Amino acid sequence: MKKFWLVIGVIFVIGTSFLLWQFLKPEPPKGPHFLFKILGDSKSNFERPLAATTQGDKIFVVDSGRRQTQVFDKWGEFLFSFPAKSAKDEALSYPAGIVVGRKKEIYVSDLKRGRILVFNSRGKYLTDFPKDTSLIKKPLALAFALNKLYVTDVGDQSVKIFDLKGKLVRKFGKTGKKQGQFSYPNGIAVSKKGFIFVSDSNNKRIQVFDQLGKFEYIIGRRVLTLPRGIVIDQFNRIHVADTLAFKVAVFKMKGDYLFSYQEPQTDVTFPQGLAINAESRRIYVTDRLNGWVSVWEY
């Protein structure tokens, strides 16, 4: 009998604790509020900022117009820049995507030359990735998760997943409008559970796949106009840069539309790339039309 009441007591305590946690856990904020804009380095503004990523308190911005990566602190103060050059001293012709790897190395994709270059956090060239450049055609968006590099390749309309040694471990997708097919995949993000979210830009949708590349479901049908950059915040909300709608749309993990946000006092913007810093709760939105990065906080 004592064991019975002990079990009942344990169940009661666990149940009460769970209900209390549900009641007291913080609700996610509805949306971020605008802070300020980053315009570029001390000499001139961005020409065509396409993508951004964060590393600690630093923000790395790919400026394809000036063929370089610029680095800023959390307040938007310019720190340094580095031209994207390979071991042969060949400058990138159109840097388009950027992400931080496991050891804080910086991966930058070159859309026109069909290559991905790796730099240290100070901008020193390290290597090409992968060594076998025939594996990629026109790499665009990059994501790093689960010790793998995820690449959208608009050269053959696919998603390619590499291990840290540059081995292609998985590829899926081809040109088309059906499930699992793409028309200019322009953004990619990976959830904590390994689900892969791909901005299928010209098909006006986000496609979601499991870790093996199996199609799961679609987000944003009849809502999105031209989805590009995509990130996932710590509340498991999907932020999507919807370029032709001039805003960032936000969805639940399963696709329910929540809200959107756009730059104040600016009629026309082209949000392109998104970066998020979960610790500072800041979101960075590159605007290729106006040549700036808008900074938000939630």
Side-chain angles (χ1 to χ4, degrees):
M1 183 62 69
K2 289 183 179 180
K3 290 184 178 180
F4 172 79
W5 287 111
L6 180 60
V7 171
I8 294 298
V10 171
I11 294 175
F12 175 79
V13 171
I14 293 175
T16 303
S17 300
F18 176 77
L19 291 175
L20 185 61
W21 175 78
Q22 287 288 324
F23 180 76
L24 295 177
K25 72 176 181 178
E27 289 293 325
K30 182 175 182 181
H33 60 274
F34 175 78
L35 292 179
F36 57 88
K37 297 174 183 175
I38 303 174
L39 300 178
D41 61 27
S42 57
K43 297 180 180 179
S44 59
N45 293 351
F46 295 119
E47 290 187 16
R48 196 181 299 115
L50 292 187
T53 191
T54 64
Q55 182 193 93
D57 288 336
K58 294 185 178 66
I59 306 101
F60 293 73
V61 181
V62 166
D63 187 353
S64 64
R66 298 173 67 180
R67 302 180 183 181
Q68 64 180 203
T69 297
Q70 297 187 28
V71 187
F72 304 84
D73 67 16
K74 65 179 296 185
W75 303 112
E77 292 295 324
F78 175 75
L79 298 175
F80 63 94
S81 64
F82 56 94
K85 293 185 178 181
S86 68
K88 298 179 180 179
D89 203 35
E90 296 174 340
L92 289 178
S93 60
Y94 199 86
I98 188 169
V99 73
V100 177
R102 184 182 67 174
K103 297 181 179 180
K104 298 184 179 180
E105 68 274 36
I106 311 298
Y107 294 81
V108 179
S109 63
D110 184 344
L111 180 62
K112 289 186 177 179
R113 288 192 175 175
R115 61 201 305 180
I116 299 171
L117 271 64
V118 187
F119 305 84
N120 67 16
S121 58
R122 294 297 301 174
K124 179 183 178 181
Y125 168 81
L126 298 176
T127 184
D128 276 30
F129 186 97
K131 293 294 185 182
D132 184 358
T133 56
S134 66
L135 294 175
I136 52 176
K137 298 181 181 298
K138 291 185 177 181
L140 181 54
L142 305 176
F144 191 88
L146 306 174
N147 287 326
K148 294 181 177 64
L149 183 70
Y150 296 72
V151 183
T152 66
D153 193 333
V154 297
D156 56 9
Q157 308 299 328
S158 69
V159 171
K160 296 171 180 177
I161 306 174
F162 296 88
D163 66 16
L164 297 182
K165 295 182 179 180
K167 178 183 177 182
L168 180 64
V169 297
R170 186 158 292 107
K171 172 187 173 182
F172 59 90
K174 61 180 181 178
T175 303
K177 298 182 178 180
K178 297 180 180 179
Q179 294 178 355
Q181 299 178 345
F182 303 113
S183 179
Y184 217 82
N186 213 309
I188 188 166
V190 183
S191 73
K192 294 179 181 179
K193 294 184 178 181
F195 287 96
I196 306 165
F197 294 73
V198 182
S199 290
D200 187 7
S201 292
N202 293 346
N203 286 326
K204 304 178 182 180
R205 63 190 181 184
I206 303 297
Q207 293 198 67
V208 185
F209 303 85
D210 68 11
Q211 296 184 46
L212 299 178
K214 177 185 176 183
F215 172 82
E216 291 286 334
Y217 56 94
I218 288 175
I219 293 175
R221 200 195 306 268
R222 294 183 295 275
V223 175
L224 298 170
T225 61
L226 190 66
R228 289 187 170 170
I230 179 171
V231 293
I232 303 172
D233 67 23
Q234 64 262 50
F235 300 105
N236 290 323
R237 300 179 302 187
I238 316 301
H239 298 243
V240 182
D242 193 356
T243 302
L244 293 185
F246 316 138
K247 63 184 180 181
V248 178
V250 183
F251 302 85
K252 289 184 178 180
M253 188 65 68
K254 289 298 183 179
D256 296 328
Y257 173 77
L258 292 172
F259 56 86
S260 63
Y261 53 96
Q262 58 192 111
E263 295 176 25
Q265 301 178 345
T266 305
D267 293 330
V268 180
T269 66
F270 274 11
Q272 173 79 26
L274 298 178
I276 192 166
N277 188 314
E279 292 182 2
S280 64
R281 299 178 68 159
R282 287 188 175 182
I283 297 174
Y284 302 88
V285 184
T286 65
D287 186 329
R288 63 176 299 175
L289 174 67
N290 294 297
W292 61 51
V293 177
S294 60
V295 183
W296 302 75
E297 189 175 70
Y298 61 93

